[in-house]
Amino acid sequence: MSVALSNRFQGGKAFGLLKARQERRLAEINREFLCDQKYSDEENLPEKLAAFKEKYMEFDLNNEGEIDLMSLKRMMEKLGVPKTHLEMKKMISEVTGGVSDTISYRDFVNMMLGKRSAVLKLVMMFEGKANESGPKPVGPPPERDIASLP
């Protein structure tokens, strides 16, 4: 399908269409989760799903709807917790149950909403808490004298 898209459109237009198609596909999956009785007791589910969709789209490098090993590597490095190749393969296996080499959006949402504490879930939650920890000071640091140093 992307081959046909690239024949008609180039550059930013083709990328925008791929992103829009991916966003519609993920929104459809989000609607399935909203209708699922298993998650009916989950509080703030629409907001959580919107945040998961945004985060997933950020790290789905090839816009295929799957996070592969290289996308996961980029995610971990951006979050400040680089992992080895074997650690990332183990993370993918833990999320997918060993069925696939890529993390689908459904697997990602199931992991984030599930009770199991996958390593990737812990890292993503840590990133969310780190971003909530208040604004960072701007400008140069205040001047200090020798007596105030530890």
Side-chain angles (χ1 to χ4, degrees):
M1 187 109 140
S2 63
V3 173
L5 215 117
S6 65
N7 289 339
R8 289 188 313 181
F9 301 109
Q10 298 179 19
K13 180 78 171 176
F15 181 75
L17 290 171
L18 281 173
K19 277 296 189 192
R21 186 172 13 166
Q22 180 190 26
E23 187 158 348
R24 284 192 304 273
R25 193 170 43 226
L26 298 184
E28 187 178 311
I29 293 170
N30 279 354
R31 281 192 293 279
E32 291 173 17
F33 276 97
L34 287 170
C35 295
D36 192 340
Q37 292 299 319
K38 188 165 86 171
Y39 300 105
S40 61
D41 61 338
E42 187 79 34
E43 55 186 66
N44 301 328
L45 185 60
E47 292 83 13
K48 286 180 180 179
L49 289 173
F52 297 158
K53 181 174 92 170
E54 182 181 320
K55 199 50 82 177
Y56 190 85
M57 285 181 66
E58 180 181 343
F59 293 111
D60 181 13
L61 297 179
N62 57 8
N63 297 317
E64 294 290 326
E66 297 178 332
I67 294 180
D68 61 359
L69 196 65
M70 291 310 294
S71 300
L72 183 61
K73 178 178 176 54
R74 179 176 170 252
M75 178 192 298
M76 293 293 109
E77 288 172 351
K78 189 170 182 185
L79 296 176
V81 279
K83 300 284 183 189
T84 66
H85 187 80
L86 288 174
E87 288 173 319
M88 289 187 295
K89 283 188 96 149
K90 183 178 178 191
M91 289 168 73
I92 290 174
S93 177
E94 187 178 333
V95 171
T96 64
V99 177
S100 176
D101 291 335
T102 58
I103 300 173
S104 71
Y105 183 64
R106 278 189 179 86
D107 290 336
F108 182 76
V109 173
N110 279 325
M111 172 201 62
M112 295 302 286
L113 292 176
K115 305 302 180 215
R116 288 183 32 225
S117 62
V119 174
L120 182 58
K121 177 180 177 179
L122 296 173
V123 169
M124 296 294 288
M125 289 171 53
F126 171 76
E127 185 213 25
K129 289 197 180 8
N131 289 342
E132 295 170 2
S133 64
K136 292 185 178 182
V138 293
E143 289 188 25
R144 297 171 64 181
D145 61 350
I146 299 272
S148 69
L149 295 175

